Amino acid sequence: MILMNIDLKYILNKTVELLNIPSPVGYTHNAIEWVKNELKKLGIKNYNITKKGALIAYIKGKDSNYKKMISAHVDTLGAVVKKIKKSARLEVTNVGGFAWGSVEGENVTIHTISGKTYSGTLLPIKASVHVYGDVAREMPRTEETMEIRIDEDVKTDEDVLKLGILQGDFISFETHTRILDNGYIKSRYLDDKLCVAQILSYIKYLKDNKLKPKTDLYIYFSNYEEIGHGVSVFPEDLDEFIAVDIGLVAGEDAHGDEKKVQIIAKDSRSTYDFTLRKKLQETASKNNIKYTVGVYNRYGSDATTAVLQGFDFKYACIGPNVDATHHYERCHNDGIIETVKLLIAYL
């Protein structure tokens, strides 16, 4: 069994830092720049930015005859301005799969193409029960029935255009990150910024203990995972790929535990490689790492996206179990630690 001293404070601090950088899918350049700077601080000099704006780092291991890769994604759910209404409200379309009711009443930031930002709120088109009565309560929350109220003195679409707000501008939602004394952390977009911080903590563990991975290791920070094309460039000599992404807790088909790491057996796209999953489960058991196994009906990862593109390598997915995914998410420090322990023990 490997003895592991993991810096939880570092993980939580880096998670919060990254959560504070808006990065709805398609608007991730600032988050990738942050990752690049963090890698430099950890002494990682071998990396490159892909044409799509993702980042791939490389750490030489003890065995260069076998190549592994892990990934996490910096992109989050969000929205894009679809139309500027005559009423000076914004019609928006979602990026990534979330329920509109999960972000009703949320404060948003509008990111204009010029770089200027504006505050706003996502509301139903009939929000006030004083005005609309039961219609406000019962109206379905869909793309067509939601809009953004801009926190500026605007009355018409022309007023909005004068601010520099245009179709195609990105919308990010407040995260409401809270770290509790009892070990829970709750926030929007723990998926997948928590996992980015966990990978950074794995690299920090190597540095602090003057260790090398067992094999050569690529680390991919992807930026389009939430819409299905996060990882699309692979080293030709890659033997296996492990996506580090959130596990699921609640639901009939999700038996996750927030205090354990999840090893995923199947998602909506594919089963995962049996031999690699078996190695991960055996590694967890050997090192007293608490884990659950997930079988999901509505889920996908960068790993199964990759194999559907026809790439040939073993593939797996692990990550901290998170409650209320794609809503207001929650995890526990224990599950965070168990995930990093599995990365250390296996890699």
Side-chain angles (χ1 to χ4, degrees):
M1 186 174 71
I2 300 172
L3 296 176
M4 296 174 246
N5 182 22
I6 296 163
D7 191 343
L8 176 63
K9 183 177 180 180
Y10 173 86
I11 298 172
L12 296 179
N13 286 343
K14 294 306 169 184
T15 299
V16 172
E17 284 182 29
L18 187 52
L19 286 168
N20 284 332
I21 301 173
S23 58
V25 57
Y27 188 82
T28 56
H29 51 286
N30 292 324
I32 289 292
E33 183 69 16
W34 178 88
V35 171
K36 183 180 76 173
N37 290 331
E38 292 303 315
L39 290 175
K40 288 180 179 178
K41 293 176 187 176
L42 293 169
I44 303 299
K45 300 177 181 178
N46 196 340
Y47 63 85
N48 68 283
I49 306 296
T50 71
K51 293 177 182 177
K52 279 174 57 176
L55 188 153
I56 308 176
Y58 173 78
I59 301 175
K60 186 170 179 57
K62 297 176 183 177
D63 180 4
S64 294
N65 294 315
Y66 196 85
K67 311 287 186 182
K68 297 178 183 178
M69 186 169 83
I70 57 175
S71 77
H73 63 92
V74 302
D75 57 299
T76 70
L77 309 174
V80 169
V81 176
K82 183 178 180 181
K83 179 181 179 182
I84 301 170
K85 298 183 176 183
K86 297 292 185 182
S87 62
R89 302 291 174 101
L90 301 178
E91 182 178 330
V92 297
T93 184
N94 65 298
V95 287
F98 60 85
W100 285 100
S102 72
V103 286
E104 179 177 344
E106 188 56 87
N107 292 315
V108 307
T109 300
I110 304 154
H111 304 270
T112 68
I113 199 166
S114 69
K116 192 170 183 179
T117 60
Y118 294 95
S119 170
T121 309
L122 184 75
L123 296 168
I125 56 175
K126 296 181 178 179
S128 172
V129 293
H130 290 112
V131 177
Y132 299 106
D134 287 343
V135 173
R137 296 186 178 96
E138 298 169 4
M139 182 180 66
R141 271 50 175 172
T142 66
E143 182 174 307
E144 291 74 22
T145 63
M146 304 298 285
E147 64 184 9
I148 287 177
R149 178 187 65 198
I150 305 168
D151 297 327
E152 297 287 336
D153 187 14
V154 288
K155 304 299 182 185
T156 68
D157 54 347
E158 290 298 323
D159 293 335
V160 175
L161 289 169
K162 288 176 183 177
L163 295 177
I165 296 174
L166 302 169
Q167 288 172 299
D169 286 343
F170 284 94
I171 308 292
S172 62
F173 299 97
E174 280 195 12
T175 63
H176 298 288
T177 305
R178 302 287 186 274
I179 296 176
L180 307 181
D181 292 338
N182 60 4
Y184 284 101
I185 173 173
K186 55 183 182 177
S187 178
R188 297 193 190 280
Y189 314 139
L190 295 178
D191 173 15
D192 196 36
K193 294 187 173 183
L194 171 58
C195 296
V196 172
Q198 288 174 311
I199 287 179
L200 292 175
S201 76
Y202 165 71
I203 298 171
K204 183 177 184 294
Y205 179 88
L206 295 179
K207 179 183 177 183
D208 290 347
N209 293 278
K210 296 180 174 58
L211 296 172
K212 286 185 177 182
K214 297 174 186 175
T215 70
D216 287 359
L217 180 67
Y218 295 98
I219 304 172
Y220 201 121
F221 296 96
S222 70
N223 59 336
Y224 284 96
E225 192 276 345
E226 292 291 2
I227 54 175
H229 60 94
V231 179
S232 53
V233 179
F234 292 93
E236 292 182 0
D237 56 354
L238 190 62
D239 295 292
E240 65 182 50
F241 171 34
I242 301 173
V244 185
D245 211 328
I246 45 99
L248 310 183
V249 174
E252 293 182 1
D253 63 338
H255 307 287
D257 183 328
E258 288 169 90
K259 295 187 176 183
K260 299 177 182 179
V261 59
Q262 182 84 287
I263 301 171
I264 302 176
K266 177 189 178 295
D267 65 23
S268 58
R269 295 167 177 156
S270 173
T271 54
Y272 286 81
D273 183 86
F274 173 74
T275 57
L276 180 50
R277 176 166 66 87
K278 185 171 184 287
K279 286 180 182 179
L280 288 165
Q281 290 182 225
E282 289 173 346
T283 299
S285 297
K286 181 180 177 181
N287 290 277
N288 294 327
I289 297 169
K290 298 174 183 176
Y291 72 94
T292 56
V293 176
V295 177
Y296 303 147
N297 292 329
R298 295 184 63 84
Y299 184 98
S301 74
D302 274 332
T304 45
T305 297
V307 296
L308 289 176
Q309 294 177 61
F311 292 103
D312 182 26
F313 40 67
K314 298 181 185 300
Y315 56 102
C317 184
I318 67 170
N321 281 300
V322 173
D323 186 63
T325 54
H326 281 201
H327 203 290
Y328 188 44
E329 300 168 339
R330 190 185 74 173
C331 188
H332 194 276
N333 290 341
D334 290 356
I336 294 171
I337 292 294
E338 296 302 293
T339 304
V340 180
K341 285 167 64 176
L342 184 53
L343 285 173
I344 292 169
Y346 180 71
L347 296 176

